[in-house]
Amino acid sequence: MRIEIWADVVCAWAYIGKRRLERALPGRSGTEVVWRPFRIDPTAPARAVPLEEALRDPLMDEALRACAPGLSPARNRARISRVAAREGLGPPWGSRWRVSSHGAHRLIALAYEHGGPSVQGAVAEGVMRANFVEGLDIGDRAVLGEVAAAAGFPLGAELLDGEAGEVLVRELLLRGKARGVRTSPTIVVGGRALAGAQPPEAIADFLRGGERERPVPAEVERMRWAESLMDQRDPLGALVMLRPLLEEFGEDRGVRLLAARACFASAQLNRARAALESLVGEFPGDLCVRRLYGRALERQGRDEEARPHLRLAAAADG
Protein backbone atom coordinates (compact mmCIF):
# COMPACT_ATOMS: atom_id res chain seq x y z
CA MET A 1 0.00 0.00 0.00
CA ARG A 2 1.25 3.47 -0.88
CA ILE A 3 0.57 6.30 1.58
CA GLU A 4 1.04 9.82 0.26
CA ILE A 5 1.51 12.69 2.71
CA TRP A 6 0.71 16.03 1.11
CA ALA A 7 2.26 18.58 3.42
CA ASP A 8 4.28 21.75 3.75
CA VAL A 9 7.52 21.37 5.69
CA VAL A 10 6.98 24.83 7.25
CA CYS A 11 3.69 23.59 8.74
CA ALA A 12 4.11 22.47 12.35
CA TRP A 13 1.16 20.10 12.01
CA ALA A 14 3.00 18.28 9.21
CA TYR A 15 5.79 17.34 11.62
CA ILE A 16 3.29 16.40 14.31
CA GLY A 17 1.33 14.38 11.74
CA LYS A 18 4.49 12.53 10.75
CA ARG A 19 5.00 11.36 14.32
CA ARG A 20 1.37 10.29 14.61
CA LEU A 21 1.52 8.37 11.33
CA GLU A 22 4.65 6.57 12.55
CA ARG A 23 2.77 5.48 15.65
CA ALA A 24 -0.10 4.18 13.49
CA LEU A 25 2.15 2.15 11.18
CA PRO A 26 3.94 -0.53 13.30
CA GLY A 27 3.10 -4.04 12.15
CA ARG A 28 2.16 -2.97 8.62
CA SER A 29 4.37 -4.66 6.06
CA GLY A 30 4.58 -3.66 2.41
CA THR A 31 3.73 -0.01 3.12
CA GLU A 32 5.42 2.79 1.21
CA VAL A 33 5.23 6.35 2.55
CA VAL A 34 5.77 9.12 -0.01
CA TRP A 35 5.98 12.84 0.74
CA ARG A 36 4.26 15.26 -1.64
CA PRO A 37 4.44 19.09 -1.66
CA PHE A 38 1.81 21.54 -0.46
CA ARG A 39 2.04 25.29 0.15
CA ILE A 40 0.48 26.97 3.18
CA ASP A 41 2.25 30.25 2.46
CA PRO A 42 2.68 30.70 -1.32
CA THR A 43 3.79 34.32 -0.87
CA ALA A 44 6.69 33.52 1.47
CA PRO A 45 9.93 35.17 0.30
CA ALA A 46 12.83 33.26 -1.24
CA ARG A 47 15.17 35.08 1.16
CA ALA A 48 14.34 34.33 4.80
CA VAL A 49 12.85 36.99 7.07
CA PRO A 50 12.96 36.61 10.89
CA LEU A 51 9.57 35.26 11.89
CA GLU A 52 9.09 37.80 14.69
CA GLU A 53 9.54 40.56 12.12
CA ALA A 54 7.13 38.88 9.68
CA LEU A 55 4.48 38.52 12.38
CA ARG A 56 4.33 42.30 12.74
CA ASP A 57 2.82 42.46 9.25
CA PRO A 58 -0.99 42.96 9.69
CA LEU A 59 -1.72 40.70 6.71
CA MET A 60 0.35 37.89 8.19
CA ASP A 61 -1.37 38.32 11.54
CA GLU A 62 -4.79 38.16 9.88
CA ALA A 63 -3.87 34.98 7.98
CA LEU A 64 -2.67 33.29 11.17
CA ARG A 65 -5.85 34.20 13.01
CA ALA A 66 -7.85 32.60 10.19
CA CYS A 67 -5.89 29.35 10.70
CA ALA A 68 -6.90 29.15 14.37
CA PRO A 69 -10.20 30.98 14.93
CA GLY A 70 -10.61 32.28 18.45
CA LEU A 71 -6.90 32.14 19.28
CA SER A 72 -4.27 34.82 18.97
CA PRO A 73 -1.18 33.79 16.98
CA ALA A 74 0.87 33.74 20.20
CA ARG A 75 -1.61 31.47 22.00
CA ASN A 76 -1.89 29.21 18.97
CA ARG A 77 1.89 28.84 18.78
CA ALA A 78 1.99 27.97 22.49
CA ARG A 79 -0.74 25.36 21.97
CA ILE A 80 1.15 23.78 19.04
CA SER A 81 4.34 23.70 21.16
CA ARG A 82 2.52 21.72 23.85
CA VAL A 83 1.15 19.26 21.27
CA ALA A 84 4.61 18.88 19.69
CA ALA A 85 6.16 18.17 23.11
CA ARG A 86 3.65 15.37 23.68
CA GLU A 87 4.79 13.87 20.35
CA GLY A 88 8.45 14.01 21.46
CA LEU A 89 9.37 17.05 19.35
CA GLY A 90 11.57 19.62 21.04
CA PRO A 91 12.41 21.43 23.16
CA PRO A 92 13.48 23.75 21.76
CA TRP A 93 10.56 24.14 19.39
CA GLY A 94 9.43 26.68 16.83
CA SER A 95 10.49 28.06 13.48
CA ARG A 96 12.50 31.28 13.55
CA TRP A 97 12.08 32.19 9.89
CA ARG A 98 9.48 32.96 7.27
CA VAL A 99 10.84 31.62 3.98
CA SER A 100 9.64 29.85 0.85
CA SER A 101 9.60 26.07 1.16
CA HIS A 102 10.08 25.56 -2.58
CA GLY A 103 13.75 24.53 -2.35
CA ALA A 104 12.96 22.08 0.45
CA HIS A 105 10.14 20.56 -1.60
CA ARG A 106 12.53 20.16 -4.54
CA LEU A 107 15.02 18.36 -2.32
CA ILE A 108 12.36 16.04 -0.89
CA ALA A 109 10.95 15.21 -4.33
CA LEU A 110 14.43 14.55 -5.72
CA ALA A 111 15.27 12.33 -2.75
CA TYR A 112 12.38 10.06 -3.72
CA GLU A 113 13.38 10.05 -7.39
CA HIS A 114 17.02 9.15 -6.62
CA GLY A 115 16.82 7.22 -3.36
CA GLY A 116 13.29 5.93 -2.85
CA PRO A 117 10.90 6.33 0.08
CA SER A 118 13.35 5.60 2.91
CA VAL A 119 15.83 8.27 1.78
CA GLN A 120 13.00 10.70 1.13
CA GLY A 121 11.57 10.11 4.60
CA ALA A 122 14.98 10.81 6.16
CA VAL A 123 15.28 14.04 4.17
CA ALA A 124 11.77 15.17 5.14
CA GLU A 125 12.56 14.46 8.80
CA GLY A 126 15.83 16.37 8.54
CA VAL A 127 14.23 19.40 6.88
CA MET A 128 11.48 19.67 9.50
CA ARG A 129 13.89 19.11 12.37
CA ALA A 130 16.14 21.86 10.97
CA ASN A 131 13.18 24.22 10.76
CA PHE A 132 11.30 23.52 13.98
CA VAL A 133 13.91 22.19 16.43
CA GLU A 134 17.23 23.64 15.30
CA GLY A 135 15.78 26.98 14.16
CA LEU A 136 17.69 26.98 10.86
CA ASP A 137 16.82 28.75 7.61
CA ILE A 138 15.59 25.98 5.29
CA GLY A 139 15.63 28.41 2.39
CA ASP A 140 19.43 28.35 2.60
CA ARG A 141 20.95 25.95 0.07
CA ALA A 142 23.85 25.20 2.44
CA VAL A 143 21.42 24.12 5.18
CA LEU A 144 19.51 21.91 2.73
CA GLY A 145 22.79 20.42 1.49
CA GLU A 146 23.79 19.47 5.04
CA VAL A 147 20.35 17.95 5.65
CA ALA A 148 20.62 15.92 2.44
CA ALA A 149 24.11 14.63 3.29
CA ALA A 150 23.07 13.63 6.82
CA ALA A 151 20.07 11.77 5.40
CA GLY A 152 22.21 9.73 3.01
CA PHE A 153 21.48 11.83 -0.07
CA PRO A 154 24.78 13.65 -0.76
CA LEU A 155 23.77 14.25 -4.39
CA GLY A 156 21.01 16.56 -3.17
CA ALA A 157 23.14 19.68 -2.82
CA GLU A 158 24.49 19.36 -6.36
CA LEU A 159 21.01 18.82 -7.80
CA LEU A 160 19.63 21.90 -6.01
CA ASP A 161 22.33 24.06 -7.61
CA GLY A 162 20.73 23.37 -11.00
CA GLU A 163 17.11 23.26 -12.11
CA ALA A 164 16.48 19.65 -11.08
CA GLY A 165 13.06 19.10 -9.54
CA GLU A 166 11.57 22.42 -10.65
CA VAL A 167 9.10 20.97 -13.15
CA LEU A 168 8.44 17.94 -10.95
CA VAL A 169 7.45 20.01 -7.88
CA ARG A 170 5.25 22.37 -9.88
CA GLU A 171 3.41 19.44 -11.41
CA LEU A 172 3.05 17.73 -8.03
CA LEU A 173 1.51 20.91 -6.61
CA LEU A 174 -1.01 20.83 -9.46
CA ARG A 175 -1.73 17.16 -8.76
CA GLY A 176 -2.48 17.99 -5.15
CA LYS A 177 -4.80 20.79 -6.21
CA ALA A 178 -6.54 18.48 -8.70
CA ARG A 179 -7.03 15.83 -6.02
CA GLY A 180 -8.64 18.34 -3.69
CA VAL A 181 -5.83 18.64 -1.13
CA ARG A 182 -6.58 21.75 0.92
CA THR A 183 -4.88 21.07 4.24
CA SER A 184 -1.36 20.32 5.48
CA PRO A 185 -0.96 17.50 6.21
CA THR A 186 -3.38 15.38 4.17
CA ILE A 187 -2.88 11.62 4.00
CA VAL A 188 -4.01 10.10 0.70
CA VAL A 189 -4.42 6.40 -0.05
CA GLY A 190 -5.83 5.64 -3.48
CA GLY A 191 -8.87 7.85 -3.90
CA ARG A 192 -9.39 8.50 -0.18
CA ALA A 193 -8.03 11.36 1.90
CA LEU A 194 -7.68 12.15 5.60
CA ALA A 195 -7.07 15.82 6.32
CA GLY A 196 -5.14 17.15 9.29
CA ALA A 197 -2.77 15.67 11.88
CA GLN A 198 -5.30 13.16 13.21
CA PRO A 199 -4.67 10.92 16.26
CA PRO A 200 -2.85 7.64 15.53
CA GLU A 201 -6.04 5.64 16.13
CA ALA A 202 -7.92 7.63 13.47
CA ILE A 203 -5.03 7.23 11.04
CA ALA A 204 -4.90 3.46 11.62
CA ASP A 205 -8.66 3.17 10.97
CA PHE A 206 -8.27 5.20 7.78
CA LEU A 207 -5.40 3.04 6.54
CA ARG A 208 -7.37 -0.17 7.05
CA GLY A 209 -9.86 1.04 4.46
CA GLY A 210 -7.06 1.74 1.99
CA GLU A 211 -6.14 -1.91 1.69
CA ARG A 212 -9.26 -2.46 -0.43
CA GLU A 213 -8.46 0.26 -3.00
CA ARG A 214 -8.17 -0.78 -6.64
CA PRO A 215 -5.40 0.88 -8.65
CA VAL A 216 -6.46 3.22 -11.46
CA PRO A 217 -4.50 3.31 -14.75
CA ALA A 218 -2.09 6.24 -14.77
CA GLU A 219 -3.55 7.78 -17.91
CA VAL A 220 -7.08 7.66 -16.50
CA GLU A 221 -5.91 9.28 -13.27
CA ARG A 222 -4.11 12.05 -15.16
CA MET A 223 -7.22 12.72 -17.25
CA ARG A 224 -9.26 13.06 -14.06
CA TRP A 225 -6.72 15.51 -12.65
CA ALA A 226 -6.97 17.64 -15.79
CA GLU A 227 -10.77 17.63 -15.61
CA SER A 228 -10.64 18.58 -11.93
CA LEU A 229 -8.36 21.54 -12.69
CA MET A 230 -10.77 22.68 -15.41
CA ASP A 231 -13.60 22.51 -12.86
CA GLN A 232 -11.45 24.69 -10.57
CA ARG A 233 -10.94 27.22 -13.40
CA ASP A 234 -7.26 26.42 -13.84
CA PRO A 235 -6.99 25.70 -17.59
CA LEU A 236 -3.24 26.29 -17.69
CA GLY A 237 -2.78 23.68 -14.97
CA ALA A 238 -5.03 21.31 -16.94
CA LEU A 239 -2.79 21.73 -19.99
CA VAL A 240 0.24 20.80 -17.87
CA MET A 241 -1.55 17.62 -16.81
CA LEU A 242 -2.55 16.85 -20.39
CA ARG A 243 0.89 17.31 -21.94
CA PRO A 244 2.03 13.66 -21.49
CA LEU A 245 -1.37 12.39 -22.66
CA LEU A 246 -1.22 14.51 -25.81
CA GLU A 247 2.22 13.04 -26.53
CA GLU A 248 1.16 9.44 -25.97
CA PHE A 249 -2.54 9.50 -26.90
CA GLY A 250 -2.61 12.44 -29.30
CA GLU A 251 -5.33 10.86 -31.45
CA ASP A 252 -7.74 10.26 -28.58
CA ARG A 253 -10.93 12.29 -29.00
CA GLY A 254 -11.47 12.95 -25.30
CA VAL A 255 -7.91 14.10 -24.71
CA ARG A 256 -8.00 16.42 -27.73
CA LEU A 257 -11.35 17.92 -26.74
CA LEU A 258 -10.28 18.57 -23.15
CA ALA A 259 -7.07 20.21 -24.41
CA ALA A 260 -9.12 22.37 -26.78
CA ARG A 261 -11.39 23.41 -23.93
CA ALA A 262 -8.37 24.33 -21.82
CA CYS A 263 -6.90 26.38 -24.67
CA PHE A 264 -10.21 28.18 -25.15
CA ALA A 265 -10.58 28.88 -21.41
CA SER A 266 -7.02 30.26 -21.23
CA ALA A 267 -7.62 32.53 -24.26
CA GLN A 268 -5.26 30.57 -26.50
CA LEU A 269 -7.78 30.98 -29.29
CA ASN A 270 -5.61 30.05 -32.27
CA ARG A 271 -4.66 26.75 -30.65
CA ALA A 272 -8.27 26.11 -29.60
CA ARG A 273 -9.65 26.90 -33.08
CA ALA A 274 -7.11 24.68 -34.86
CA ALA A 275 -7.81 21.74 -32.54
CA LEU A 276 -11.59 22.17 -32.79
CA GLU A 277 -11.53 22.56 -36.56
CA SER A 278 -9.83 19.20 -36.81
CA LEU A 279 -12.35 17.61 -34.43
CA VAL A 280 -15.32 19.05 -36.35
CA GLY A 281 -13.93 17.55 -39.54
CA GLU A 282 -13.58 14.13 -37.96
CA PHE A 283 -16.75 14.17 -35.82
CA PRO A 284 -19.28 16.45 -37.58
CA GLY A 285 -22.14 15.11 -35.48
CA ASP A 286 -20.57 16.11 -32.14
CA LEU A 287 -22.59 19.19 -31.25
CA CYS A 288 -20.49 20.00 -28.18
CA VAL A 289 -17.46 20.30 -30.44
CA ARG A 290 -19.41 22.43 -32.92
CA ARG A 291 -20.65 24.76 -30.20
CA LEU A 292 -17.15 25.29 -28.78
CA TYR A 293 -15.73 25.73 -32.27
CA GLY A 294 -18.37 28.35 -33.01
CA ARG A 295 -17.57 30.18 -29.80
CA ALA A 296 -13.86 30.16 -30.57
CA LEU A 297 -14.53 31.62 -34.03
CA GLU A 298 -16.89 34.17 -32.51
CA ARG A 299 -14.32 35.36 -29.99
CA GLN A 300 -11.88 35.92 -32.84
CA GLY A 301 -14.41 38.13 -34.62
CA ARG A 302 -15.17 35.54 -37.30
CA ASP A 303 -18.93 35.73 -36.83
CA GLU A 304 -19.94 34.55 -40.32
CA GLU A 305 -17.90 31.38 -39.93
CA ALA A 306 -19.19 30.85 -36.40
CA ARG A 307 -22.89 31.28 -37.16
CA PRO A 308 -23.69 27.90 -38.83
CA HIS A 309 -21.99 25.93 -36.07
CA LEU A 310 -23.74 27.83 -33.30
CA ARG A 311 -27.10 27.59 -35.07
CA LEU A 312 -26.77 23.84 -35.49
CA ALA A 313 -25.89 23.36 -31.84
CA ALA A 314 -28.74 25.68 -30.74
CA ALA A 315 -31.25 23.89 -32.95
CA ALA A 316 -30.31 20.57 -31.40
CA ASP A 317 -30.71 22.05 -27.92
CA GLY A 318 -34.14 23.44 -28.84
Side-chain angles (χ1 to χ4, degrees):
M1 178 174 60
R2 168 181 283 196
I3 301 169
E4 293 185 331
I5 308 175
W6 296 81
D8 198 338
V9 290
V10 296
C11 169
W13 292 109
Y15 204 3
I16 292 168
K18 182 176 186 294
R19 285 292 182 271
R20 291 178 173 179
L21 174 63
E22 289 165 352
R23 287 165 55 195
L25 281 177
R28 286 183 172 272
S29 60
T31 299
E32 178 183 85
V33 178
V34 182
W35 286 82
R36 301 300 195 195
F38 182 79
R39 293 279 183 80
I40 61 170
D41 188 5
T43 64
R47 188 182 295 275
V49 176
L51 188 59
E52 292 302 325
E53 177 184 323
L55 291 174
R56 291 196 288 270
D57 184 337
L59 293 177
M60 181 85 170
D61 182 75
E62 184 178 341
L64 289 171
R65 288 180 185 275
C67 291
L71 290 177
S72 69
R75 289 181 62 193
N76 186 47
R77 290 170 69 190
R79 176 177 70 99
I80 294 173
S81 296
R82 291 193 295 271
V83 175
R86 289 198 294 270
E87 298 297 335
L89 299 171
W93 171 264
S95 175
R96 299 178 188 175
W97 306 95
R98 182 186 181 219
V99 66
S100 171
S101 54
H102 182 69
H105 285 310
R106 283 177 59 207
L107 181 65
I108 291 168
L110 289 166
Y112 181 76
E113 295 295 308
H114 291 267
S118 61
V119 172
Q120 187 195 45
V123 170
E125 171 72 26
V127 168
M128 287 187 283
R129 179 175 179 80
N131 184 52
F132 289 107
V133 178
E134 298 169 2
L136 300 177
D137 170 12
I138 61 167
D140 187 326
R141 292 283 177 85
V143 170
L144 292 177
E146 291 173 5
V147 166
F153 184 43
L155 181 62
E158 180 183 338
L159 292 172
L160 285 181
D161 286 338
E163 297 297 314
E166 286 285 350
V167 173
L168 175 60
V169 167
R170 295 187 192 284
E171 179 171 314
L172 286 170
L173 288 168
L174 283 173
R175 284 193 207 176
K177 180 179 179 181
R179 298 178 75 163
V181 176
R182 300 288 181 269
T183 301
S184 173
T186 296
I187 297 174
V188 175
V189 177
R192 302 165 59 250
L194 180 68
Q198 301 294 334
E201 299 77 17
I203 296 173
D205 286 343
F206 171 77
L207 295 180
R208 277 191 283 273
E211 294 168 356
R212 298 187 296 272
E213 292 286 341
R214 290 184 178 181
V216 176
E219 62 273 15
V220 173
E221 192 170 42
R222 184 171 283 272
M223 191 72 170
R224 290 177 181 173
W225 294 338
E227 289 169 344
S228 173
L229 290 169
M230 285 294 293
D231 291 341
Q232 296 178 61
R233 299 184 180 182
D234 185 358
L236 293 176
L239 285 170
V240 171
M241 286 293 115
L242 287 170
R243 191 177 298 134
L245 296 182
L246 287 167
E247 293 174 357
E248 188 173 355
F249 306 101
E251 299 303 313
D252 182 85
R253 179 178 178 179
V255 172
R256 291 161 63 195
L257 178 55
L258 187 56
R261 287 176 51 209
C263 288
F264 179 81
S266 57
Q268 300 180 63
L269 298 179
N270 285 330
R271 286 184 62 190
R273 177 175 53 79
L276 290 163
E277 185 174 13
S278 176
L279 285 166
V280 166
E282 293 179 49
F283 309 103
D286 190 328
L287 298 178
C288 291
V289 171
R290 282 193 177 273
R291 179 183 294 108
L292 190 56
Y293 182 47
R295 290 178 63 197
L297 289 167
E298 194 174 50
R299 283 183 62 178
Q300 289 188 307
R302 302 166 67 162
D303 293 353
E304 288 299 321
E305 296 175 66
R307 192 167 293 120
H309 301 285
L310 294 174
R311 280 179 176 171
L312 183 60
D317 287 344

